Amino acid sequence: MMKNLIGLSKEELAAELERLGEKSFRAKQLWQWIYFRGESDFDKMSNLSKELRAKLKENYTLQRPKIITEQISKDKTHKWLLEFDDGQRIETVYIPEEDRGAVCVSTQVGCAVGCKFCHTGSQKITRNLTAGEIVAQFMVARDAYGEWPSPTNETRYLSNIVVMGMGEPLHNKEETFKALKILSDGDGIAISKRRITLSTSGIVPNIEAVAAELGVKLAISLHASNNEKRSQIMPINKRYPIEEILKACQKYQDIMGMSRMITFEYLMLKDFNDTPEDAKELIALMKKFNLGAKFNLIPFNPWPGCDFAPSSNNKVHAFSRLLEAAGYEAPIRVARGQDILAACGQLKSKKQAGNPA
């Protein structure tokens, strides 16, 4: 089987060209064809010699994953079920706004964290994705919206990347980091690091590296104000309790600066974590660790077989007001793509009754 060049670093790409007897400077030209222009046909790479193009065709591919299904929500959220060469599948989502939007990428087939409120968590981990499989998800979205060559930040609609799809990205640190470095490289796709957010359930040993090695934005899936409640819905908390996560967040901000706010994602679950007491406990935690923080309050998106229900609008808004009164931004996320199971916590790649994914 021919080697796929998508997902190789610049250094790895140069090494492949050297094996073909080519000068390493050709790597930048090839990189720009792959990631700036989005070209998948070697024959169209006009500033490469015919001889080199023939060698590339003979030895390599620029294959995207196979699109199994495509669904577009009534609110224009776009979801793809993608299949890789080994038959494994994941879901990728594009969430559009009026003049921009975010591509939500997956980093694993399934997930080992097993959060009780998450549809993906009900699917056991199968394997990590490669850097190429992560990058290719964004390229599929770019293909669909015709955003090649890479547009400027002012004109692009696929403007942001959120690593919030299937899987725990810090359980797949090396490949996820490699992919994000490719996606943010200025010679190619060129998504600003300030427009990339990595969301984690709190894999403490790797949180500092998000700042030290990547410099992208950090989001923590918190979802409870104390360890007792968090452990009930997020088994990972027994290994990495809240206090250890917040200490790691301090190290992230020591590197990035207090102005780089950490987003704490908080899923509003009816009669579980939505009381004024929960909000006050959250505020006390943030004050104790002196974190530059903001909250993202997420209405729960039900999925078939789940045991939770969403909090009432009144409770969610009251919760938000308490956090804002304490000086923290606490917007309420607008649920998107619910009619196609594309909203937060709903992604899953195995076929479900009544669900094409």
Side-chain angles (χ1 to χ4, degrees):
M1 186 169 64
M2 290 193 294
K3 187 171 189 175
N4 197 335
L5 295 181
I6 294 174
L8 297 190
S9 67
K10 280 182 171 174
E11 295 74 19
E12 290 169 333
L13 199 57
E16 293 296 329
L17 288 170
E18 287 176 358
R19 289 190 189 99
L20 296 179
E22 297 289 333
K23 299 293 186 183
S24 59
F25 77 86
R26 294 289 183 193
K28 184 173 181 179
Q29 293 175 310
L30 185 54
W31 181 276
Q32 290 176 331
W33 278 110
I34 298 170
Y35 296 119
F36 179 74
R37 297 189 177 277
E39 186 56 66
S40 58
D41 185 348
F42 293 118
D43 283 332
K44 293 182 180 178
M45 299 181 181
S46 55
N47 63 345
L48 303 182
S49 69
K50 288 184 178 180
E51 182 184 4
L52 174 53
R53 282 179 267 170
K55 289 179 185 177
L56 291 170
K57 280 181 65 176
E58 184 178 347
N59 293 281
Y60 303 104
T61 180
L62 294 170
Q63 181 181 329
R64 276 50 159 176
K66 182 180 180 181
I67 298 173
I68 301 300
T69 60
E70 237 179 307
Q71 295 172 282
I72 299 179
S73 167
K74 60 187 178 184
D75 62 23
K76 305 303 182 184
T77 298
H78 196 153
K79 184 172 79 167
W80 295 267
L81 175 65
L82 303 178
E83 183 177 275
F84 301 110
D85 287 340
D86 63 353
Q88 296 297 334
R89 298 177 176 184
I90 55 90
E91 291 187 322
T92 301
V93 175
Y94 172 57
I95 307 160
E97 302 295 341
E98 184 176 342
D99 59 350
R100 59 183 178 83
V103 180
C104 179
V105 300
S106 298
T107 55
Q108 295 180 305
V109 181
C111 184
V113 177
C115 298
K116 304 302 182 185
F117 50 79
C118 180
H119 202 196
T120 307
S122 66
Q123 176 183 341
K124 301 301 181 185
I125 185 70
T126 301
R127 68 169 175 85
N128 289 332
L129 297 185
T130 66
E133 290 168 338
I134 297 168
V135 171
Q137 294 173 59
F138 187 82
M139 297 177 81
V140 166
R142 272 261 179 103
D143 292 344
Y145 288 89
E147 283 207 341
W148 302 109
S150 293
T152 66
N153 280 336
E154 288 72 25
T155 60
R156 66 179 69 190
Y157 288 97
L158 280 68
S159 59
N160 293 56
I161 294 172
V162 290
V163 189
M164 298 181 182
M166 295 173 58
E168 165 51 64
L170 295 187
H171 275 164
N172 187 19
K173 174 179 174 288
E174 297 304 321
E175 295 299 311
T176 298
F177 280 29
K178 183 180 179 183
L180 294 183
K181 287 175 183 176
I182 292 170
L183 289 163
S184 60
D185 186 279
D187 290 330
I189 290 172
I191 299 293
S192 166
K193 292 178 180 180
R194 288 185 171 272
R195 291 182 176 272
I196 299 174
T197 301
L198 184 148
S199 175
T200 175
S201 60
I203 311 304
V204 168
N206 291 334
I207 288 175
E208 184 178 354
V210 177
E213 298 181 33
L214 284 180
V216 302
K217 294 165 74 175
L218 176 67
I220 301 291
S221 293
L222 194 60
H223 308 312
S225 57
N226 60 59
N227 287 313
E228 181 182 359
K229 285 188 176 182
R230 193 168 190 263
S231 294
Q232 290 179 47
I233 57 174
M234 301 181 70
I236 195 73
N237 193 71
K238 295 171 185 176
R239 184 171 183 183
Y240 301 119
I242 291 173
E243 292 78 11
E244 295 303 312
I245 294 171
L246 298 186
K247 287 176 185 176
C249 288
Q250 288 178 321
K251 293 179 180 178
Y252 170 91
Q253 284 194 324
D254 285 344
I255 296 170
M256 300 301 297
M258 288 290 285
S259 62
R260 182 64 68 89
M261 293 285 183
I262 296 170
T263 299
F264 289 92
E265 297 164 332
Y266 196 93
L267 190 65
M268 301 296 294
L269 300 172
K270 181 180 179 181
D271 299 329
F272 180 77
N273 64 355
D274 58 355
T275 68
E277 290 70 30
D278 290 306
K280 292 172 184 175
E281 198 167 20
L282 274 180
I283 293 165
L285 272 174
M286 296 301 117
K287 300 292 186 186
K288 178 181 178 181
F289 287 88
N290 191 32
L291 289 169
K294 60 182 179 180
F295 292 90
N296 189 358
L297 303 183
I298 307 171
F300 177 61
N301 301 302
W303 43 269
C306 66
D307 295 326
F308 296 98
S311 300
S312 69
N313 286 337
N314 287 342
K315 276 195 168 185
V316 174
H317 283 275
F319 202 96
S320 175
R321 286 193 296 270
L322 284 170
L323 293 174
E324 290 178 344
Y328 297 101
E329 291 182 39
I332 300 165
R333 183 186 292 179
V334 177
R336 303 289 300 276
Q338 287 181 309
D339 55 319
I340 59 170
L341 289 182
C344 179
Q346 291 185 320
L347 301 188
K348 189 170 182 177
S349 62
K350 289 185 178 179
K351 293 184 179 179
Q352 302 292 314
N355 174 19

